[in-house]
Amino acid sequence: EAQVTQNPRYLITVTGKKLTVTCSQNMNHEYMSWYRQDPGLGLRQIYYSMNVEVTDKGDVPEGYKVSRKEKRNFPLILESPSPNQTSLYFCASSAPPEIRVAFFGQGTRLTVV
Amino acid sequence: RKEVEQDPGPFNVPEGATVAFNCTYSNSASQSFFWYRQDCRKEPKLLMSVYSSGNEDGRFTAQLNRASQYISLLIRDSKLSDSATYLCVVDRGSTLGRLYFGRGTQLTVWP
């Protein structure tokens, strides 16, 4: 089954404790991205990657890091999480020619206390 | 001005009703337009692409007006299962693959 898998689905952590949210897709998609979704603000792009070893900032990259060492994986790293990073996070992937059509993972609900 | 503006609703309609959602976008260079559906606390899923000539998929009709930078979604004969948030999505024109998402319009269909 074609899918984008995120882990964990739910996470409660403390301020400053480094964490990684994993994202993996089995569709051989070149393009992957991370979004956060907050009430009243909609989905905002954090980082995106056009292919292996190619990443770039989205609209709200502060406080986040990503890496793309393999085509299928695109982890999101929070080096020092803060409460304002409490949010619902989605990973998405897509591929040419329909690169603008995104397939989303099930989401990770992160709470930073 | 936000890149994509939607009426957040909520829209509460009875089964069988026809309901329309509107969306405006600010980037005249945008080339691709979509409606996504998001159920409560779940991931967004593509509902349909929007083409210049307008397009229909069963009970759903999407329209695009490039001159007015306006997109619409019409749902006919609403079902209980149509209850969700509908996201208007527009590409960024010059930057391949990057999308702007509207905040979404919430629809509740009641029996």
Side-chain angles (χ1 to χ4, degrees):
Chain A
E1 181 189 352
Q3 58 186 5
V4 179
T5 303
Q6 292 179 229
N7 279 296
R9 294 286 311 282
Y10 302 92
L11 179 61
I12 300 175
T13 190
V14 297
T15 299
K17 185 177 181 182
K18 180 179 178 179
L19 66 92
T20 299
V21 183
T22 64
C23 174
S24 181
Q25 49 93 3
N26 63 1
M27 296 170 279
N28 202 35
H29 285 172
E30 286 86 356
Y31 189 92
M32 298 185 73
S33 55
W34 276 102
Y35 295 87
R36 61 178 288 174
Q37 187 173 34
D38 302 290
L41 295 177
L43 279 153
R44 295 178 292 168
Q45 193 176 50
I46 302 170
Y47 268 94
Y48 65 100
S49 169
M50 298 294 287
N51 214 324
V52 175
E53 302 294 0
V54 180
T55 63
D56 208 346
K57 296 177 180 178
D59 298 312
V60 288
E62 296 78 19
Y64 304 95
K65 285 175 57 177
V66 293
S67 68
R68 187 92 182 273
K69 293 183 169 52
E70 306 166 278
K71 198 172 189 179
R72 63 182 292 129
N73 296 323
F74 190 44
L76 180 69
I77 303 156
L78 284 72
E79 295 269 3
S80 182
S82 62
N84 64 12
Q85 293 178 298
T86 293
S87 187
L88 178 59
Y89 291 86
F90 289 104
C91 178
S93 74
S94 54
E98 296 295 330
I99 198 165
R100 294 176 174 89
V101 176
F103 294 87
F104 283 83
Q106 292 180 293
T108 296
R109 188 164 292 278
L110 172 66
T111 301
V112 184
V113 298
Chain B
R1 180 183 174 190
K2 273 194 69 67
E3 300 292 343
V4 179
E5 299 269 14
Q6 287 184 255
D7 180 347
F11 285 64
N12 297 302
V13 303
E15 269 188 297
T18 295
V19 61
F21 304 139
N22 302 317
C23 166
T24 58
Y25 62 96
S26 63
N27 187 352
S28 60
S30 295
Q31 295 294 319
S32 301
F33 310 90
F34 310 94
W35 284 101
Y36 277 70
R37 171 195 167 124
Q38 185 174 25
D39 294 300
C40 187
R41 298 175 182 268
K42 295 198 171 179
E43 73 274 24
K45 292 183 179 177
L46 178 68
L47 177 66
M48 59 196 301
S49 300
V50 186
Y51 302 117
S52 295
S53 55
N55 49 299
E56 191 173 302
D57 183 2
R59 298 181 293 109
F60 298 84
T61 300
Q63 296 279 352
L64 168 64
N65 183 323
R66 285 187 185 271
S68 303
Q69 296 181 201
Y70 172 95
I71 305 162
S72 66
L73 177 68
L74 183 77
I75 305 175
R76 292 182 300 278
D77 188 23
S78 298
K79 311 291 186 191
L80 297 177
S81 57
D82 294 334
S83 297
T85 296
Y86 291 84
L87 306 175
C88 177
V89 183
V90 175
D91 81 3
R92 300 197 181 204
S94 60
T95 309
L96 186 65
R98 294 194 66 193
L99 303 172
Y100 288 123
F101 284 79
R103 298 179 188 183
T105 298
Q106 187 181 342
L107 171 67
T108 300
V109 181
W110 44 274

